Amino acid sequence: MTPRKAAWPFVLLFVATPFYQGVCADRSGAFSRNGSREVPRAAGPTEDRISGLISQIEAAREHFRPLDAGDVRRQREDVVAAFARLDARLRRAGEVGQGWRDYLYWETLRAALEDPEPDIEFLGRTLERLSRDYATLRLVWFVEVRRALERYLTVVGLVGVEDLELAYGELLDDLAAALSEYARRPDPQSAAQIGAAVAWLEMLGQAEELVAAVRRTFQRPNLYVRTSGELLGAAVADDVDDVAPISEIIRGALVCGVGRTRGSVSVELIPAAERAVVDAVFRLVTESDNVGHKGPVQVFSRGTTRVDARKRLQIEPEQVSALPARSSATTRTQFDAVRALRGGRLVERFAWRQAYRDQFAAEWEASRKAERRVNHRIDAEVGERLAEANATLRARILRPLRQRRLFPEDLRFRTTTDALHAAATSRDDDQIAAADLPPRWASGGDLGIKLHQSMVNNLTATAFAGQTVHEEQLVAELTDLLGFLPANLALDEMAEPWALTFAGTLPISVLFAEETVTVTVRAVDFFRGGARYPGMHVTASYRIEPEVDGFRAVLAEELTVLPPGFDPAAGDRLSARQQTIRTLLMRRFERVFPPEMALEPIALGGPWERAGVLDFAQVTAENGWLVLTLRRRETPEDLTRRLAGAD
C-alpha cells in the first residue's frame, strides 16, 4: 500500500524543527498487525458504580426543592455576567461590534437586565435572535449569553408551577433509564440523555450530590495520545556540518580563523507529571585553524573543541516554553608555528615558552567562550522558532477553538523516559466524557491514539447541532482541519451543490463497539439546488478486519438512509418525496462511505518526513473506544546506524 501524507498534531510541532534545520495477552476481538489476538481491555463502568448512582437517584426523589426568587436571582446574575463579557468583546470589535449591538437592541437589552422586573417577552425575542443560524452567533461570547438567558427564562417560567415536582420525578426516571442502558451498552443516545438530564438538574438547582456523582463518574479523559521517544528522536535527529569564521580575544590575544563544526542533534525525554519536558541534545565538535595575534607575535595553532549542549523545552496547553541552553565544552590546542614580526628568534623562543605556559588557561577560556557562543546561538534560533510556533498555536488553534467552544475542557501533557503523553477531556455542560479506562495499546508502538466516542460526539454536537452547512463550507473546513481532503469527499463539479441542516441532538455520532465503527449523520432538512427535502438519518457501520500488511474497514451492512423514527418492520413506507431524497443521498453518501477502506500506512509530512512511514499495528473498537497503534517502519538510515552499532 502506498503511504499517504498526513497533517500532524500541533502538540508535537515544537520538536519538528531541529536546531540546524505493555505486555499483550490473548483476548477475542483485538488483533495485532500479524493477525494474532492481543491487548486486553480494561474493565468498563461496573454494575456497582451504576447501581450506586441509581441508589442516589432514589434518594434524591425525596429532596425536591421548589424554585424560588433565589433561583431566579442566581440565573439572572449569570446572564448579567455573560452580557458583560459580550459587551467587552463587542467594544473591541469596533464597527462590526456595533452592528451586533444594533441587532440585539443593546441599550434596550441592558435596561431589561437592570430592571428588577424585566420585560420577559422582550428577553424571549432576544433569545430567538441569539439562536439564529449565523456563524458569528456560534462564538463563545454569544453562546454564553444565549445559554444563560435560556436558563434564566426557563427558571422564571417554572417558579410556582404545581407539576414541577412530578416533572422532576420523571427526569430522574429518564436519568436512571439512561444510566442503565449506558451500563449495558455505552451508545451515543444514552450518553446524550445522561448529559441532558444532569444539565437540567443543575439548572434547576436540584439533587446537587447526585449531579456531582454523575459528573465524577463520567469525567475521565476521552482522548489519549502517546508518542514514543524513538519516533520523536527520528523526527528530530539531524547531522550538523557548519563552517564559520572565528574571531575572539583569548588571554589578551586576538585569535582569528575558520572553524568547522560537526555533530548531531537528538532528543531526550525527561520524566515529568505536570507537563511534557524534552531536552534537545547537541553533541558538537569544532575543529579550527587559528592565528593568534599579540603584539609583534603570531601563533599558528589547531584547536578541537567538544561541546555537549542541552536546550530544555516544556510543553503545556497554552504554549511551548524553553529554558536557557546549558553546555559543557572542552578545548584542546596544538601549536604549529610562531612568527615574530620583529625581534627575531629571541622573541620567537620567548613566545613559544609563553604559549605553552598559557596553554591550559587559554584552553579553559576558549572552552567558556565556546559554551557562551553555543548557548547564545541555540537560544536565539530555538527562541525564534518557538515564538513563531506559539504565535501559530494561538492564532490558528487556541483562539479559533476557544471561540467556538471546541478546545478541550482539560488538556494535560506529561513525559516518561520513553514517551510523550497527552490526555484531553472534551465535554460541555450537557455532555459526558468517558466513564472507564481504555484498552491497552499494543506493545512496541511508536504512536498510539485512544479515542472515546464521546470526544467525537461532543465536538460534533458543539460544532454542528442545529446548523445549516453547505457542501463547499464543509469541504473547506475539513481540508483546513486535516491538512488534506480525502478523495471520496471531493466536490462533484457535475452535481448540484447541496446543504443540510443538522439535528439539534447528535448531529453526527460514532459508536465504537465489537470491532465495528458506526457513523450516523442526522439531518432535519436537505437542500439541493433550490429544492428542500425532508430530513434523513444516514448510517454506515464498518467492521475492522486484520490483513497480512495492516487492516481494512469493510461495510458491515448496506448503507442506511431513512427518515427519523422510520420502521419498515412496522409497515412504514416512504413517500415519493422521501424516496427522491433517499436516492439522492444514497448516491452521494456511497462516495463518502465506500464498501471497503484500507487503513494505509501513513507517510509523515513536513519536518516529520525524516521519521519515515508509520504502519498500523493495532486497530481496536470496543466499549466506546477506538484504539490505534502505529509502528515506525525502519529506514535505510536506521539500518545503517544499527549495523554500525553492531560492529
Side-chain angles (χ1 to χ4, degrees):
M1 292 183 284
T2 303
R4 61 178 172 81
K5 295 288 184 180
W8 206 243
F10 74 90
V11 296
L12 303 177
L13 286 178
F14 77 100
V15 291
T17 41
F19 175 46
Y20 286 94
Q21 267 303 5
V23 179
C24 298
D26 291 340
R27 180 174 177 86
S28 174
F31 295 89
S32 68
R33 182 169 178 253
N34 60 13
S36 63
R37 296 172 187 270
E38 61 180 8
V39 189
R41 184 183 72 77
T46 64
E47 292 185 2
D48 289 343
R49 291 169 64 196
I50 295 297
S51 297
L53 291 176
I54 292 176
S55 297
Q56 285 186 260
I57 290 175
E58 295 307 313
R61 295 181 189 277
E62 307 301 321
H63 299 285
F64 170 76
R65 181 182 61 78
L67 300 182
D68 56 26
D71 296 292
V72 174
R73 182 178 63 256
R74 283 190 293 274
Q75 296 297 336
R76 182 178 171 185
E77 289 172 353
D78 288 346
V79 178
V80 172
F83 175 84
R85 290 191 292 271
L86 177 59
D87 184 34
R89 176 59 182 165
L90 294 181
R91 288 180 185 278
R92 294 196 299 271
E95 293 183 7
V96 174
Q98 185 57 48
W100 285 106
R101 288 169 178 271
D102 296 340
Y103 171 78
L104 293 171
Y105 301 100
W106 200 253
E107 295 307 320
T108 305
L109 178 58
R110 184 192 301 276
L113 293 176
E114 292 174 352
D115 191 337
E117 296 183 1
D119 183 344
I120 298 300
E121 184 177 346
F122 170 75
L123 293 180
R125 291 196 300 271
T126 300
L127 179 60
E128 188 276 329
R129 292 190 193 95
L130 287 167
S131 303
R132 291 174 185 170
D133 190 14
Y134 299 138
T136 301
L137 294 179
R138 298 196 288 270
L139 298 179
V140 61
W141 307 280
F142 290 96
V143 172
E144 286 180 348
V145 172
R146 174 175 60 78
R147 287 187 163 191
L149 186 56
E150 190 173 46
R151 290 193 296 268
Y152 171 69
L153 293 176
T154 299
V155 170
V156 168
L158 291 176
V159 171
V161 172
E162 295 181 359
D163 293 336
L164 184 58
E165 185 172 3
L166 178 62
Y168 169 72
E170 293 175 349
L171 182 60
L172 293 179
D173 290 339
D174 292 341
L175 177 57
L179 286 168
S180 298
E181 179 62 23
Y182 191 94
R184 187 184 68 82
R185 184 170 184 262
D187 62 276
Q189 289 79 7
S190 57
Q193 291 166 0
I194 294 169
V198 170
W200 267 89
L201 290 172
E202 199 165 44
M203 177 183 67
L204 299 177
Q206 305 288 343
E208 292 181 356
E209 291 185 3
L210 171 62
V211 169
V214 175
R215 293 212 182 278
R216 283 196 302 271
T217 300
F218 296 94
Q219 68 176 357
R220 292 187 184 275
N222 42 19
L223 174 65
Y224 297 89
V225 178
R226 176 188 183 278
T227 306
S228 73
E230 290 185 3
L231 178 60
L232 293 174
V236 173
D238 199 7
D239 294 326
V240 177
D241 194 340
D242 182 53
V243 177
I246 295 173
S247 179
E248 293 182 327
I249 302 296
I250 303 292
R251 300 289 294 174
L254 173 63
V255 179
C256 300
V258 175
R260 182 178 185 182
T261 300
R262 287 178 286 188
S264 63
V265 184
S266 60
V267 297
E268 183 178 320
L269 302 182
I270 308 302
E274 300 299 326
R275 60 182 62 84
V277 180
V278 180
D279 276 2
V281 180
F282 306 84
R283 291 186 170 88
L284 311 171
V285 177
T286 300
E287 294 179 332
S288 60
D289 290 320
N290 310 306
V291 180
H293 303 267
K294 188 173 185 180
V297 176
Q298 292 179 324
V299 178
F300 297 84
S301 64
R302 285 171 289 152
T304 300
T305 300
R306 300 181 182 275
V307 182
D308 288 339
R310 288 175 178 265
K311 179 72 172 179
R312 179 154 295 183
L313 306 173
Q314 300 183 138
I315 310 170
E316 298 173 290
E318 299 294 330
Q319 65 176 358
V320 180
S321 59
L323 299 181
R326 297 179 294 109
S327 60
S328 174
T330 58
T331 299
R332 294 292 179 265
T333 304
Q334 180 177 333
F335 300 112
D336 292 331
V338 172
R339 178 191 299 170
L341 300 180
R342 61 180 182 272
R345 296 180 61 83
L346 180 63
V347 173
E348 288 182 0
R349 284 196 299 270
F350 177 79
W352 274 108
R353 288 195 299 270
Q354 188 68 32
Y356 281 114
R357 190 162 45 244
D358 290 347
Q359 182 176 5
F360 178 79
E363 289 174 343
W364 185 91
E365 185 175 340
S367 297
R368 305 293 79 76
K369 288 181 179 291
E371 289 170 354
R372 289 193 290 272
R373 184 172 64 249
V374 169
N375 289 344
H376 175 75
R377 184 170 181 183
I378 291 175
D379 287 340
E381 294 198 21
V382 173
E384 181 180 350
R385 297 187 184 196
L386 280 185
E388 294 174 358
N390 283 324
T392 300
L393 175 67
R394 288 189 291 269
R396 298 195 58 187
I397 297 172
L398 294 179
R399 189 179 301 124
L401 290 182
R402 285 208 167 98
Q403 287 179 349
R404 291 162 177 79
R405 301 177 302 117
L406 297 175
F407 194 77
E409 175 189 57
D410 186 41
L411 174 61
R412 299 184 183 185
F413 298 99
R414 65 184 180 90
T415 39
T416 57
T417 55
D418 61 348
L420 186 153
H421 302 262
T425 306
S426 179
R427 65 174 182 180
D428 214 330
D429 293 340
D430 58 350
Q431 297 171 340
I432 62 174
D436 59 337
L437 292 171
R440 295 177 182 174
W441 284 302
S443 60
D446 288 296
L447 175 64
I449 300 171
K450 298 178 181 180
L451 175 65
H452 193 262
Q453 61 195 27
S454 63
M455 169 68 78
V456 179
N457 299 336
N458 292 348
L459 290 178
T460 55
T462 300
F464 297 118
Q467 297 178 26
T468 299
V469 178
H470 295 266
E471 182 179 22
E472 298 89 343
Q473 172 193 351
L474 185 61
V475 166
E477 290 185 358
L478 283 174
T479 303
D480 185 57
L481 175 65
L482 299 175
F484 67 97
L485 182 68
N488 56 331
L489 298 180
L491 293 170
D492 184 352
E493 296 182 359
M494 302 301 293
E496 290 185 275
W498 57 265
L500 60 83
T501 300
F502 284 107
T505 302
L506 293 175
I508 302 173
S509 69
V510 296
L511 173 65
F512 303 141
E514 300 171 355
E515 302 308 326
T516 301
V517 175
T518 301
V519 183
T520 301
V521 179
R522 298 174 179 85
V524 294
D525 287 305
F526 281 93
F527 303 89
R528 183 172 180 268
R532 177 178 178 177
Y533 297 90
M536 292 276 175
H537 290 182
V538 182
T539 300
S541 292
Y542 282 93
R543 184 176 61 255
I544 299 169
E545 296 182 353
E547 294 185 309
V548 174
D549 59 349
F551 295 84
R552 64 174 181 167
V554 179
L555 206 57
E557 55 189 37
E558 186 183 42
L559 192 68
T560 301
V561 182
L562 291 172
F566 187 86
D567 185 4
D572 293 348
R573 295 291 181 269
L574 295 175
S575 67
R577 192 166 182 77
Q578 287 174 328
Q579 187 61 52
T580 298
I581 187 58
R582 181 178 184 274
T583 301
L584 292 172
L585 290 176
M586 284 287 289
R587 217 176 280 148
R588 179 57 184 153
F589 278 92
E590 280 174 352
R591 292 179 55 202
V592 178
F593 301 114
E596 183 176 315
M597 292 184 289
L599 302 183
E600 299 177 344
I602 298 176
L604 304 180
W608 286 84
E609 188 171 0
R610 62 169 62 94
V613 175
L614 296 178
D615 294 307
F616 282 93
Q618 175 195 12
V619 181
T620 300
E622 58 175 310
N623 198 41
W625 287 96
L626 178 66
V627 181
L628 308 174
T629 300
L630 297 99
R631 294 194 181 112
R632 179 172 166 264
R633 187 183 299 175
E634 189 174 52
T635 65
E637 292 78 8
D638 295 329
L639 180 60
T640 301
R641 282 193 290 268
R642 183 160 57 82
L643 293 177
D647 293 340

